[in-house]
Amino acid sequence: MSSFGFSVLFVVFFVLTMVLRTWLAARHIRHIARHRASVPAEFAPKVPLAAHQKAADYTVAKTRLGLVGMLWGGAVLIGFTLLGGLQLLSLALLPLTGPGLWHQMALVVAFGVISSLLDLPLDWYRQFVLEQRFGFNKMTPGLWFSDLVKSTIVGAIIGLPLLWVVLTLMDKSGELWWFYTWLVWSGFQLLMIAIYPSVIAPMFNKFSPLEDASLKQRIEGLMARVGFASRGLFVMDGSKRSAHGNAYFSGFGRAKRIVFFDTLLSRLEPQEIEAVLAHELGHFKLRHIVKRVAVMFAMSLAFLALLGYLKGQAWFYTGLGVLPFMNASNDGMALILFVLVLPVFTFPLAPLSSITSRKHEFEADAFAAQHTESRHLVSALVKMYEDNASTLTPDPLHSAFYDSHPPASVRVKHLTMAGA
């Protein structure tokens, strides 16, 4: 392929993706606005009109902010690629590092820092304007900044050694570098799953053992019925950052732990908490987690193999506004370009991921209905939709592209049929 041909292909996919995302957002906003005046019949007895309208307004506001973020991200993408931003950055770093591994590392780090700084204004607005307007923000500017500093430090401690290993493999291990890198990346992902609950997560939140004896007994009874062993039941102080609530389990093997947001425990009844947890345990017992990890590993292998081909093609660089070095490494540049352009080419395939995810959600709901009463999961979901201001009337096509969970009405209908 010629560099001009690849540039044209990239621009065509870029424009199509931007148009498609804009069209989907417009559909979503119009669909929600049309249904804002009344609560869907199946939810009318339980969801007040005011809560329904708040969810509609919140969703519309998030979608509009998402459009702004999309346009900004598109401008940054074109600036880094076709307008020569990455080329200028590479040339600016070259006198400081010289060509080779350290130049490529510095390039990736500098790109990451600049990208993060460019995202900060929207992140701030999302937290302290949008979330604040709808009553969800509980963070202070000090906590927001503290999280930013801690996440940067943790990211550097973990990411820089990994980046050095990957770039070294790309440069030194021959044509099969992508396979060796995949082995390292897969091992790294498993390590993060293992250490995140006990090492990383406590840096940002406080995790306390569940103290409610009756609730603990109920949950332990559920775990015994489904054959799930956990290292402990914990309550996370999610309320110091947000009013949103959730529950999850993390880790694997002996490191598995169940975590409840304190906001969730304050809102749901014990039988509803049990039903929500049964759904989450369903993902584990039905091996959804293993399947998702396997798919992630398979996709990462395929993408690394593709990158293994692209990094040796001059048109891949020149078609995206970069002049590669002829006698030095371009590995860091290849990584950046690949990460930048991959979403442009893969966005139209997003519904395929949603289909699998929704299938898993229906299966986990059915599992919960087998081990608890489905009406309790329904009532818990209704409260969570209301408390999180999740719209009950999403546009179906927009939902197919963006939502990993089925629409509320479809999900509740399935559960109601299961409990009949």
PDB file of all heavy atoms in Angstrom, residues 173-203:
ATOM      1  N   SER A 173      14.228  -9.096  19.721  1.00  0.00           N
ATOM      2  CA  SER A 173      13.842 -10.511  19.707  1.00  0.00           C
ATOM      3  C   SER A 173      13.393 -11.034  18.350  1.00  0.00           C
ATOM      4  O   SER A 173      12.781 -12.101  18.266  1.00  0.00           O
ATOM      5  CB  SER A 173      12.738 -10.761  20.744  1.00  0.00           C
ATOM      6  OG  SER A 173      11.609  -9.951  20.477  1.00  0.00           O
ATOM      7  N   GLY A 174      13.669 -10.313  17.295  1.00  0.00           N
ATOM      8  CA  GLY A 174      13.429 -10.841  15.958  1.00  0.00           C
ATOM      9  C   GLY A 174      11.992 -10.723  15.493  1.00  0.00           C
ATOM     10  O   GLY A 174      11.183  -9.991  16.065  1.00  0.00           O
ATOM     11  N   GLU A 175      11.665 -11.484  14.444  1.00  0.00           N
ATOM     12  CA  GLU A 175      10.367 -11.351  13.797  1.00  0.00           C
ATOM     13  C   GLU A 175       9.210 -11.798  14.682  1.00  0.00           C
ATOM     14  O   GLU A 175       8.069 -11.389  14.460  1.00  0.00           O
ATOM     15  CB  GLU A 175      10.351 -12.143  12.491  1.00  0.00           C
ATOM     16  CG  GLU A 175      11.291 -11.574  11.424  1.00  0.00           C
ATOM     17  CD  GLU A 175      11.183 -12.320  10.109  1.00  0.00           C
ATOM     18  OE1 GLU A 175      10.396 -13.309  10.062  1.00  0.00           O
ATOM     19  OE2 GLU A 175      11.857 -11.936   9.139  1.00  0.00           O
ATOM     20  N   LEU A 176       9.477 -12.652  15.647  1.00  0.00           N
ATOM     21  CA  LEU A 176       8.407 -13.124  16.538  1.00  0.00           C
ATOM     22  C   LEU A 176       8.297 -12.288  17.804  1.00  0.00           C
ATOM     23  O   LEU A 176       7.733 -12.744  18.804  1.00  0.00           O
ATOM     24  CB  LEU A 176       8.631 -14.595  16.900  1.00  0.00           C
ATOM     25  CG  LEU A 176       8.360 -15.604  15.783  1.00  0.00           C
ATOM     26  CD1 LEU A 176       8.673 -17.017  16.261  1.00  0.00           C
ATOM     27  CD2 LEU A 176       6.915 -15.524  15.302  1.00  0.00           C
ATOM     28  N   TRP A 177       8.814 -11.062  17.735  1.00  0.00           N
ATOM     29  CA  TRP A 177       8.753 -10.207  18.928  1.00  0.00           C
ATOM     30  C   TRP A 177       7.330 -10.075  19.435  1.00  0.00           C
ATOM     31  O   TRP A 177       7.110  -9.984  20.647  1.00  0.00           O
ATOM     32  CB  TRP A 177       9.308  -8.822  18.614  1.00  0.00           C
ATOM     33  CG  TRP A 177       8.424  -8.008  17.706  1.00  0.00           C
ATOM     34  CD1 TRP A 177       8.528  -7.902  16.358  1.00  0.00           C
ATOM     35  CD2 TRP A 177       7.286  -7.235  18.095  1.00  0.00           C
ATOM     36  NE1 TRP A 177       7.521  -7.110  15.855  1.00  0.00           N
ATOM     37  CE2 TRP A 177       6.744  -6.684  16.909  1.00  0.00           C
ATOM     38  CE3 TRP A 177       6.662  -6.944  19.308  1.00  0.00           C
ATOM     39  CZ2 TRP A 177       5.621  -5.860  16.894  1.00  0.00           C
ATOM     40  CZ3 TRP A 177       5.542  -6.129  19.311  1.00  0.00           C
ATOM     41  CH2 TRP A 177       5.037  -5.596  18.119  1.00  0.00           C
ATOM     42  N   TRP A 178       6.348 -10.009  18.517  1.00  0.00           N
ATOM     43  CA  TRP A 178       4.955  -9.785  18.910  1.00  0.00           C
ATOM     44  C   TRP A 178       4.416 -10.946  19.747  1.00  0.00           C
ATOM     45  O   TRP A 178       3.593 -10.735  20.633  1.00  0.00           O
ATOM     46  CB  TRP A 178       4.081  -9.564  17.666  1.00  0.00           C
ATOM     47  CG  TRP A 178       4.200 -10.641  16.631  1.00  0.00           C
ATOM     48  CD1 TRP A 178       5.080 -10.683  15.581  1.00  0.00           C
ATOM     49  CD2 TRP A 178       3.432 -11.847  16.557  1.00  0.00           C
ATOM     50  NE1 TRP A 178       4.909 -11.838  14.854  1.00  0.00           N
ATOM     51  CE2 TRP A 178       3.889 -12.562  15.432  1.00  0.00           C
ATOM     52  CE3 TRP A 178       2.404 -12.379  17.323  1.00  0.00           C
ATOM     53  CZ2 TRP A 178       3.357 -13.802  15.058  1.00  0.00           C
ATOM     54  CZ3 TRP A 178       1.856 -13.603  16.949  1.00  0.00           C
ATOM     55  CH2 TRP A 178       2.341 -14.293  15.833  1.00  0.00           C
ATOM     56  N   PHE A 179       4.909 -12.160  19.469  1.00  0.00           N
ATOM     57  CA  PHE A 179       4.462 -13.307  20.267  1.00  0.00           C
ATOM     58  C   PHE A 179       5.074 -13.265  21.661  1.00  0.00           C
ATOM     59  O   PHE A 179       4.377 -13.495  22.661  1.00  0.00           O
ATOM     60  CB  PHE A 179       4.835 -14.614  19.566  1.00  0.00           C
ATOM     61  CG  PHE A 179       4.409 -15.836  20.323  1.00  0.00           C
ATOM     62  CD1 PHE A 179       3.074 -16.187  20.410  1.00  0.00           C
ATOM     63  CD2 PHE A 179       5.345 -16.620  20.985  1.00  0.00           C
ATOM     64  CE1 PHE A 179       2.675 -17.318  21.122  1.00  0.00           C
ATOM     65  CE2 PHE A 179       4.953 -17.740  21.703  1.00  0.00           C
ATOM     66  CZ  PHE A 179       3.615 -18.083  21.769  1.00  0.00           C
ATOM     67  N   TYR A 180       6.352 -12.954  21.753  1.00  0.00           N
ATOM     68  CA  TYR A 180       6.998 -12.853  23.061  1.00  0.00           C
ATOM     69  C   TYR A 180       6.391 -11.703  23.870  1.00  0.00           C
ATOM     70  O   TYR A 180       6.196 -11.812  25.094  1.00  0.00           O
ATOM     71  CB  TYR A 180       8.504 -12.640  22.894  1.00  0.00           C
ATOM     72  CG  TYR A 180       9.180 -13.699  22.062  1.00  0.00           C
ATOM     73  CD1 TYR A 180      10.063 -13.350  21.038  1.00  0.00           C
ATOM     74  CD2 TYR A 180       8.930 -15.053  22.276  1.00  0.00           C
ATOM     75  CE1 TYR A 180      10.690 -14.319  20.266  1.00  0.00           C
ATOM     76  CE2 TYR A 180       9.543 -16.027  21.503  1.00  0.00           C
ATOM     77  CZ  TYR A 180      10.420 -15.648  20.497  1.00  0.00           C
ATOM     78  OH  TYR A 180      11.013 -16.615  19.728  1.00  0.00           O
ATOM     79  N   THR A 181       6.076 -10.617  23.177  1.00  0.00           N
ATOM     80  CA  THR A 181       5.431  -9.488  23.852  1.00  0.00           C
ATOM     81  C   THR A 181       4.053  -9.876  24.358  1.00  0.00           C
ATOM     82  O   THR A 181       3.641  -9.461  25.449  1.00  0.00           O
ATOM     83  CB  THR A 181       5.321  -8.285  22.892  1.00  0.00           C
ATOM     84  OG1 THR A 181       6.641  -7.892  22.496  1.00  0.00           O
ATOM     85  CG2 THR A 181       4.617  -7.118  23.562  1.00  0.00           C
ATOM     86  N   TRP A 182       3.358 -10.669  23.566  1.00  0.00           N
ATOM     87  CA  TRP A 182       2.034 -11.136  23.993  1.00  0.00           C
ATOM     88  C   TRP A 182       2.140 -11.971  25.269  1.00  0.00           C
ATOM     89  O   TRP A 182       1.307 -11.841  26.175  1.00  0.00           O
ATOM     90  CB  TRP A 182       1.379 -11.946  22.885  1.00  0.00           C
ATOM     91  CG  TRP A 182       0.064 -12.550  23.275  1.00  0.00           C
ATOM     92  CD1 TRP A 182      -1.124 -11.902  23.429  1.00  0.00           C
ATOM     93  CD2 TRP A 182      -0.191 -13.925  23.588  1.00  0.00           C
ATOM     94  NE1 TRP A 182      -2.115 -12.781  23.811  1.00  0.00           N
ATOM     95  CE2 TRP A 182      -1.565 -14.034  23.917  1.00  0.00           C
ATOM     96  CE3 TRP A 182       0.591 -15.076  23.616  1.00  0.00           C
ATOM     97  CZ2 TRP A 182      -2.156 -15.241  24.272  1.00  0.00           C
ATOM     98  CZ3 TRP A 182       0.005 -16.282  23.959  1.00  0.00           C
ATOM     99  CH2 TRP A 182      -1.355 -16.346  24.293  1.00  0.00           C
ATOM    100  N   LEU A 183       3.150 -12.830  25.360  1.00  0.00           N
ATOM    101  CA  LEU A 183       3.348 -13.632  26.566  1.00  0.00           C
ATOM    102  C   LEU A 183       3.594 -12.725  27.772  1.00  0.00           C
ATOM    103  O   LEU A 183       3.015 -12.938  28.848  1.00  0.00           O
ATOM    104  CB  LEU A 183       4.521 -14.594  26.380  1.00  0.00           C
ATOM    105  CG  LEU A 183       4.341 -15.713  25.345  1.00  0.00           C
ATOM    106  CD1 LEU A 183       5.627 -16.528  25.216  1.00  0.00           C
ATOM    107  CD2 LEU A 183       3.174 -16.624  25.720  1.00  0.00           C
ATOM    108  N   VAL A 184       4.426 -11.715  27.592  1.00  0.00           N
ATOM    109  CA  VAL A 184       4.710 -10.776  28.686  1.00  0.00           C
ATOM    110  C   VAL A 184       3.448 -10.011  29.061  1.00  0.00           C
ATOM    111  O   VAL A 184       3.123  -9.857  30.252  1.00  0.00           O
ATOM    112  CB  VAL A 184       5.835  -9.809  28.281  1.00  0.00           C
ATOM    113  CG1 VAL A 184       5.969  -8.687  29.304  1.00  0.00           C
ATOM    114  CG2 VAL A 184       7.149 -10.549  28.138  1.00  0.00           C
ATOM    115  N   TRP A 185       2.727  -9.517  28.061  1.00  0.00           N
ATOM    116  CA  TRP A 185       1.511  -8.731  28.309  1.00  0.00           C
ATOM    117  C   TRP A 185       0.461  -9.573  29.022  1.00  0.00           C
ATOM    118  O   TRP A 185      -0.185  -9.100  29.963  1.00  0.00           O
ATOM    119  CB  TRP A 185       0.969  -8.204  26.992  1.00  0.00           C
ATOM    120  CG  TRP A 185      -0.332  -7.477  27.104  1.00  0.00           C
ATOM    121  CD1 TRP A 185      -1.558  -7.903  26.684  1.00  0.00           C
ATOM    122  CD2 TRP A 185      -0.548  -6.197  27.700  1.00  0.00           C
ATOM    123  NE1 TRP A 185      -2.530  -6.976  26.975  1.00  0.00           N
ATOM    124  CE2 TRP A 185      -1.932  -5.917  27.596  1.00  0.00           C
ATOM    125  CE3 TRP A 185       0.285  -5.263  28.302  1.00  0.00           C
ATOM    126  CZ2 TRP A 185      -2.486  -4.739  28.084  1.00  0.00           C
ATOM    127  CZ3 TRP A 185      -0.270  -4.093  28.784  1.00  0.00           C
ATOM    128  CH2 TRP A 185      -1.636  -3.837  28.671  1.00  0.00           C
ATOM    129  N   SER A 186       0.299 -10.826  28.608  1.00  0.00           N
ATOM    130  CA  SER A 186      -0.689 -11.705  29.245  1.00  0.00           C
ATOM    131  C   SER A 186      -0.315 -11.961  30.701  1.00  0.00           C
ATOM    132  O   SER A 186      -1.172 -11.918  31.589  1.00  0.00           O
ATOM    133  CB  SER A 186      -0.795 -13.028  28.479  1.00  0.00           C
ATOM    134  OG  SER A 186      -1.206 -12.811  27.141  1.00  0.00           O
ATOM    135  N   GLY A 187       0.967 -12.225  30.940  1.00  0.00           N
ATOM    136  CA  GLY A 187       1.410 -12.418  32.319  1.00  0.00           C
ATOM    137  C   GLY A 187       1.218 -11.175  33.161  1.00  0.00           C
ATOM    138  O   GLY A 187       0.817 -11.261  34.334  1.00  0.00           O
ATOM    139  N   PHE A 188       1.465 -10.018  32.559  1.00  0.00           N
ATOM    140  CA  PHE A 188       1.271  -8.757  33.267  1.00  0.00           C
ATOM    141  C   PHE A 188      -0.194  -8.557  33.632  1.00  0.00           C
ATOM    142  O   PHE A 188      -0.510  -8.129  34.756  1.00  0.00           O
ATOM    143  CB  PHE A 188       1.765  -7.604  32.393  1.00  0.00           C
ATOM    144  CG  PHE A 188       1.426  -6.242  32.916  1.00  0.00           C
ATOM    145  CD1 PHE A 188       2.150  -5.692  33.961  1.00  0.00           C
ATOM    146  CD2 PHE A 188       0.385  -5.504  32.368  1.00  0.00           C
ATOM    147  CE1 PHE A 188       1.844  -4.429  34.454  1.00  0.00           C
ATOM    148  CE2 PHE A 188       0.067  -4.249  32.849  1.00  0.00           C
ATOM    149  CZ  PHE A 188       0.806  -3.714  33.897  1.00  0.00           C
ATOM    150  N   GLN A 189      -1.104  -8.841  32.705  1.00  0.00           N
ATOM    151  CA  GLN A 189      -2.528  -8.692  32.974  1.00  0.00           C
ATOM    152  C   GLN A 189      -2.970  -9.596  34.125  1.00  0.00           C
ATOM    153  O   GLN A 189      -3.734  -9.179  35.003  1.00  0.00           O
ATOM    154  CB  GLN A 189      -3.333  -9.017  31.717  1.00  0.00           C
ATOM    155  CG  GLN A 189      -3.182  -8.003  30.600  1.00  0.00           C
ATOM    156  CD  GLN A 189      -3.771  -6.652  30.971  1.00  0.00           C
ATOM    157  OE1 GLN A 189      -4.872  -6.562  31.500  1.00  0.00           O
ATOM    158  NE2 GLN A 189      -3.032  -5.592  30.699  1.00  0.00           N
ATOM    159  N   LEU A 190      -2.510 -10.833  34.121  1.00  0.00           N
ATOM    160  CA  LEU A 190      -2.866 -11.744  35.204  1.00  0.00           C
ATOM    161  C   LEU A 190      -2.300 -11.270  36.537  1.00  0.00           C
ATOM    162  O   LEU A 190      -2.952 -11.391  37.578  1.00  0.00           O
ATOM    163  CB  LEU A 190      -2.360 -13.158  34.885  1.00  0.00           C
ATOM    164  CG  LEU A 190      -3.033 -13.852  33.701  1.00  0.00           C
ATOM    165  CD1 LEU A 190      -2.357 -15.189  33.409  1.00  0.00           C
ATOM    166  CD2 LEU A 190      -4.524 -14.071  33.973  1.00  0.00           C
ATOM    167  N   LEU A 191      -1.087 -10.727  36.509  1.00  0.00           N
ATOM    168  CA  LEU A 191      -0.482 -10.195  37.730  1.00  0.00           C
ATOM    169  C   LEU A 191      -1.303  -9.035  38.271  1.00  0.00           C
ATOM    170  O   LEU A 191      -1.546  -8.941  39.483  1.00  0.00           O
ATOM    171  CB  LEU A 191       0.946  -9.749  37.450  1.00  0.00           C
ATOM    172  CG  LEU A 191       1.684  -9.091  38.627  1.00  0.00           C
ATOM    173  CD1 LEU A 191       1.851 -10.075  39.777  1.00  0.00           C
ATOM    174  CD2 LEU A 191       3.042  -8.558  38.168  1.00  0.00           C
ATOM    175  N   MET A 192      -1.758  -8.150  37.388  1.00  0.00           N
ATOM    176  CA  MET A 192      -2.561  -7.006  37.825  1.00  0.00           C
ATOM    177  C   MET A 192      -3.885  -7.469  38.435  1.00  0.00           C
ATOM    178  O   MET A 192      -4.350  -6.914  39.438  1.00  0.00           O
ATOM    179  CB  MET A 192      -2.830  -6.075  36.643  1.00  0.00           C
ATOM    180  CG  MET A 192      -1.628  -5.283  36.184  1.00  0.00           C
ATOM    181  SD  MET A 192      -0.977  -4.162  37.460  1.00  0.00           S
ATOM    182  CE  MET A 192       0.447  -5.109  38.035  1.00  0.00           C
ATOM    183  N   ILE A 193      -4.501  -8.490  37.829  1.00  0.00           N
ATOM    184  CA  ILE A 193      -5.743  -9.022  38.390  1.00  0.00           C
ATOM    185  C   ILE A 193      -5.502  -9.553  39.801  1.00  0.00           C
ATOM    186  O   ILE A 193      -6.338  -9.388  40.703  1.00  0.00           O
ATOM    187  CB  ILE A 193      -6.317 -10.130  37.483  1.00  0.00           C
ATOM    188  CG1 ILE A 193      -6.773  -9.534  36.144  1.00  0.00           C
ATOM    189  CG2 ILE A 193      -7.490 -10.833  38.162  1.00  0.00           C
ATOM    190  CD1 ILE A 193      -7.186 -10.570  35.127  1.00  0.00           C
ATOM    191  N   ALA A 194      -4.336 -10.159  39.997  1.00  0.00           N
ATOM    192  CA  ALA A 194      -4.039 -10.770  41.290  1.00  0.00           C
ATOM    193  C   ALA A 194      -3.732  -9.734  42.364  1.00  0.00           C
ATOM    194  O   ALA A 194      -4.178  -9.861  43.506  1.00  0.00           O
ATOM    195  CB  ALA A 194      -2.859 -11.740  41.143  1.00  0.00           C
ATOM    196  N   ILE A 195      -2.971  -8.681  42.003  1.00  0.00           N
ATOM    197  CA  ILE A 195      -2.517  -7.751  43.040  1.00  0.00           C
ATOM    198  C   ILE A 195      -3.402  -6.524  43.184  1.00  0.00           C
ATOM    199  O   ILE A 195      -3.302  -5.817  44.191  1.00  0.00           O
ATOM    200  CB  ILE A 195      -1.062  -7.301  42.786  1.00  0.00           C
ATOM    201  CG1 ILE A 195      -0.973  -6.388  41.551  1.00  0.00           C
ATOM    202  CG2 ILE A 195      -0.139  -8.500  42.648  1.00  0.00           C
ATOM    203  CD1 ILE A 195       0.398  -5.771  41.361  1.00  0.00           C
ATOM    204  N   TYR A 196      -4.270  -6.258  42.210  1.00  0.00           N
ATOM    205  CA  TYR A 196      -5.074  -5.038  42.281  1.00  0.00           C
ATOM    206  C   TYR A 196      -5.907  -4.954  43.564  1.00  0.00           C
ATOM    207  O   TYR A 196      -5.904  -3.907  44.229  1.00  0.00           O
ATOM    208  CB  TYR A 196      -5.980  -4.920  41.060  1.00  0.00           C
ATOM    209  CG  TYR A 196      -6.872  -3.703  41.119  1.00  0.00           C
ATOM    210  CD1 TYR A 196      -6.402  -2.457  40.721  1.00  0.00           C
ATOM    211  CD2 TYR A 196      -8.178  -3.794  41.589  1.00  0.00           C
ATOM    212  CE1 TYR A 196      -7.201  -1.328  40.794  1.00  0.00           C
ATOM    213  CE2 TYR A 196      -8.989  -2.669  41.670  1.00  0.00           C
ATOM    214  CZ  TYR A 196      -8.495  -1.439  41.268  1.00  0.00           C
ATOM    215  OH  TYR A 196      -9.290  -0.334  41.355  1.00  0.00           O
ATOM    216  N   PRO A 197      -6.633  -6.020  43.955  1.00  0.00           N
ATOM    217  CA  PRO A 197      -7.506  -5.884  45.133  1.00  0.00           C
ATOM    218  C   PRO A 197      -6.773  -5.536  46.416  1.00  0.00           C
ATOM    219  O   PRO A 197      -7.283  -4.763  47.233  1.00  0.00           O
ATOM    220  CB  PRO A 197      -8.172  -7.269  45.232  1.00  0.00           C
ATOM    221  CG  PRO A 197      -8.038  -7.872  43.878  1.00  0.00           C
ATOM    222  CD  PRO A 197      -6.751  -7.363  43.337  1.00  0.00           C
ATOM    223  N   SER A 198      -5.605  -6.114  46.612  1.00  0.00           N
ATOM    224  CA  SER A 198      -4.929  -5.951  47.904  1.00  0.00           C
ATOM    225  C   SER A 198      -3.807  -4.930  47.888  1.00  0.00           C
ATOM    226  O   SER A 198      -3.359  -4.488  48.954  1.00  0.00           O
ATOM    227  CB  SER A 198      -4.363  -7.305  48.363  1.00  0.00           C
ATOM    228  OG  SER A 198      -3.488  -7.848  47.383  1.00  0.00           O
ATOM    229  N   VAL A 199      -3.326  -4.530  46.708  1.00  0.00           N
ATOM    230  CA  VAL A 199      -2.178  -3.631  46.636  1.00  0.00           C
ATOM    231  C   VAL A 199      -2.554  -2.263  46.062  1.00  0.00           C
ATOM    232  O   VAL A 199      -2.240  -1.226  46.660  1.00  0.00           O
ATOM    233  CB  VAL A 199      -1.040  -4.256  45.797  1.00  0.00           C
ATOM    234  CG1 VAL A 199       0.131  -3.277  45.677  1.00  0.00           C
ATOM    235  CG2 VAL A 199      -0.578  -5.561  46.419  1.00  0.00           C
ATOM    236  N   ILE A 200      -3.239  -2.248  44.925  1.00  0.00           N
ATOM    237  CA  ILE A 200      -3.483  -0.985  44.227  1.00  0.00           C
ATOM    238  C   ILE A 200      -4.765  -0.299  44.705  1.00  0.00           C
ATOM    239  O   ILE A 200      -4.763   0.898  45.032  1.00  0.00           O
ATOM    240  CB  ILE A 200      -3.523  -1.223  42.705  1.00  0.00           C
ATOM    241  CG1 ILE A 200      -2.173  -1.758  42.227  1.00  0.00           C
ATOM    242  CG2 ILE A 200      -3.876   0.076  41.974  1.00  0.00           C
ATOM    243  CD1 ILE A 200      -2.119  -2.107  40.772  1.00  0.00           C
ATOM    244  N   ALA A 201      -5.862  -1.046  44.756  1.00  0.00           N
ATOM    245  CA  ALA A 201      -7.146  -0.436  45.129  1.00  0.00           C
ATOM    246  C   ALA A 201      -7.094   0.267  46.488  1.00  0.00           C
ATOM    247  O   ALA A 201      -7.650   1.370  46.639  1.00  0.00           O
ATOM    248  CB  ALA A 201      -8.257  -1.483  45.101  1.00  0.00           C
ATOM    249  N   PRO A 202      -6.437  -0.307  47.522  1.00  0.00           N
ATOM    250  CA  PRO A 202      -6.394   0.381  48.823  1.00  0.00           C
ATOM    251  C   PRO A 202      -5.642   1.707  48.803  1.00  0.00           C
ATOM    252  O   PRO A 202      -5.733   2.467  49.773  1.00  0.00           O
ATOM    253  CB  PRO A 202      -5.681  -0.640  49.727  1.00  0.00           C
ATOM    254  CG  PRO A 202      -5.935  -1.964  49.091  1.00  0.00           C
ATOM    255  CD  PRO A 202      -5.906  -1.684  47.627  1.00  0.00           C
ATOM    256  N   MET A 203      -4.888   1.993  47.743  1.00  0.00           N
ATOM    257  CA  MET A 203      -4.231   3.289  47.653  1.00  0.00           C
ATOM    258  C   MET A 203      -5.229   4.417  47.409  1.00  0.00           C
ATOM    259  O   MET A 203      -4.929   5.583  47.679  1.00  0.00           O
ATOM    260  CB  MET A 203      -3.204   3.282  46.511  1.00  0.00           C
ATOM    261  CG  MET A 203      -2.060   2.311  46.686  1.00  0.00           C
ATOM    262  SD  MET A 203      -0.925   2.400  45.270  1.00  0.00           S
ATOM    263  CE  MET A 203       0.214   1.065  45.675  1.00  0.00           C
TER     264      MET A 203
END
